[in-house]
Amino acid sequence: MNAPHDELLRELRPAAFAIAYRMLGSVAEAEDVVQEALLRVHRALDGGERIESSRAYVATVVTRLAIDQLRSARARRETYAGEWLPEPLVTDAAGDPARHAEMADSLSLAFLVLLESLSPEQRAVLLLHDVFDYGYDEVARIVGKSQDNVRQLATRARRHVEERRPRFDASQEQRDELARRFFAAAEHGDVGALEALLAHDVVLHGDGGGKVPALARSLHGRSRVARTLLAWMRHGARIPGAAIRQVEVNGQPGALLLDGDGGLISVMALEIAGGQVRGVSSIVNPDKLAHLGPVADLRALLARRDR
């Protein structure tokens, strides 16, 4: 790409990725969409096309590419081995706390999973209007529909989401403290302390993608979830040098489970509300972890442990 446009494209990339990732729930697919969108902006500028708003232009291209991608992904999602969870992001809580909290809620794994139940167009309209503050007239131009149609899509999507949307009512400090106690209880094998932090109807999700051992389906209930988590921790403790590092995952408290060489075994994210852990998501599918750094060979680690 030519130097005159490089700075503009760098400025457009974060906003383009924010839309693409929330639409697709995949870092790799979002990166591909963003790269293609920026390439089209570059070609348009090079060709002398007059672009009134580069922000709106790239949002339009990203959204339409993501909608096409979602349509083609439907069949793959339906045949996915086990439960599908988004590819996790390790995020940073620094910056404007209010803005961070607002964007973090729309980035949570629980919210992204909820978006999966919407049509691609509903997802696009809801995100563009409710998360990214585009007016209905702008959204209509982006998705190529009338304003009345867009408003109807938004209303249906919002009604569906609001009924099930997770409520993150604790402050960041409260969430971090509860997460610290959660991982301490899990590491120490304290089932009583762990159960005390879990909501009665807590849900445990796992995504191995058929590549490594994982839950076949989500588990419900405080006792079952606590005992399963502690069993996981006991198995993990037998891996030489295994360690848990607390981080922020998709804007919520979470942790990385690492082997002795620093290879990533899994990413865990917590859903906290009402002073309790209401959901736990564990992603061990290596294909969904590679963008975060070196990934451990979990099957080899388990085989070595069992020997």
Side-chain angles (χ1 to χ4, degrees), residues 168 171-172 174-180 183 246-255 268-272 279:
F168 303 111
S171 70
Q172 186 179 317
Q174 289 170 324
R175 290 188 212 175
D176 289 346
E177 172 58 19
L178 200 152
R180 186 194 64 75
F183 287 111
Q246 283 190 239
V247 294
E248 185 182 85
V249 178
N250 285 63
Q252 308 302 325
M268 191 173 286
L270 306 183
E271 180 188 329
I272 293 173

Side-chain angles (χ1 to χ4, degrees), residues 1-282:
M1 293 189 184
N2 293 339
H5 308 318
D6 284 354
E7 186 174 349
L8 172 63
L9 297 176
R10 277 195 297 272
E11 290 173 359
L12 291 173
R13 179 175 286 277
F17 181 81
I19 295 172
Y21 175 73
R22 286 170 174 81
M23 282 288 291
L24 299 168
S26 163
V27 174
E29 291 176 3
E31 290 285 8
D32 288 345
V33 162
V34 169
Q35 190 65 22
E36 175 63 23
L38 295 180
L39 188 60
R40 292 189 188 185
V41 174
H42 168 74
R43 286 173 179 162
L45 293 171
D46 257 13
E49 186 175 334
R50 185 170 176 270
I51 298 177
E52 288 186 17
S53 168
S54 53
R55 172 179 174 266
Y57 188 100
V58 79
T60 300
V61 177
V62 164
T63 301
R64 291 180 180 180
L65 287 172
I67 287 173
D68 290 343
Q69 183 77 17
L70 284 171
R71 286 175 178 151
S72 66
R74 286 283 178 182
R76 295 200 308 274
R77 297 278 169 88
E78 287 170 5
T79 58
Y80 191 81
E83 189 173 6
W84 181 93
L85 292 173
E87 290 179 19
L89 288 176
V90 174
T91 47
D92 183 2
D96 177 2
R99 180 66 177 162
H100 173 75
E102 174 188 329
M103 295 306 284
D105 283 0
S106 72
L107 195 61
S108 74
L109 295 182
F111 182 66
L112 294 180
V113 168
L114 187 51
L115 291 180
E116 283 288 299
S117 60
L118 302 178
S119 73
E121 289 80 6
Q122 285 178 325
R123 192 184 310 198
V125 168
L126 183 73
L127 287 170
L128 289 170
H129 184 270
D130 288 14
V131 176
F132 295 104
D133 298 324
Y134 284 88
Y136 282 119
D137 56 335
E138 294 177 288
V139 177
R141 286 194 294 272
I142 289 171
V143 300
K145 295 184 179 295
S146 70
Q147 282 197 53
D148 283 346
N149 199 331
V150 160
R151 287 178 186 275
Q152 290 170 2
L153 284 169
T155 298
R156 285 197 292 269
R158 200 174 294 121
R159 186 185 304 126
H160 181 83
V161 166
E162 289 302 324
E163 290 173 357
R164 303 166 180 82
R165 187 168 187 170
R167 302 294 178 189
F168 303 111
D169 55 1
S171 70
Q172 186 179 317
E173 292 76 14
Q174 289 170 324
R175 290 188 212 175
D176 289 346
E177 172 58 19
L178 200 152
R180 186 194 64 75
R181 291 164 54 202
F182 171 91
F183 287 111
E187 282 193 88
H188 294 140
D190 190 336
V191 65
L194 189 59
E195 285 191 3
L197 300 172
L198 302 177
H200 177 72
D201 55 352
V202 63
V203 184
L204 176 61
H205 306 276
D207 181 345
K211 306 291 179 70
V212 293
L215 293 175
R217 61 187 64 83
S218 57
L219 283 182
H220 298 252
R222 178 183 291 155
S223 179
R224 294 180 74 197
V225 168
R227 294 180 189 284
T228 301
L229 286 169
L230 291 184
W232 286 358
M233 290 296 174
R234 283 195 300 273
H235 289 307
R238 292 167 57 193
I239 295 172
I244 292 176
R245 184 177 10 154
Q246 283 190 239
V247 294
E248 185 182 85
V249 178
N250 285 63
Q252 308 302 325
L256 309 179
L257 177 59
L258 306 165
D259 70 9
D261 296 322
L264 185 57
I265 297 172
S266 72
V267 172
M268 191 173 286
L270 306 183
E271 180 188 329
I272 293 173
Q276 294 179 306
V277 176
R278 305 195 64 83
V280 182
S281 296
S282 173

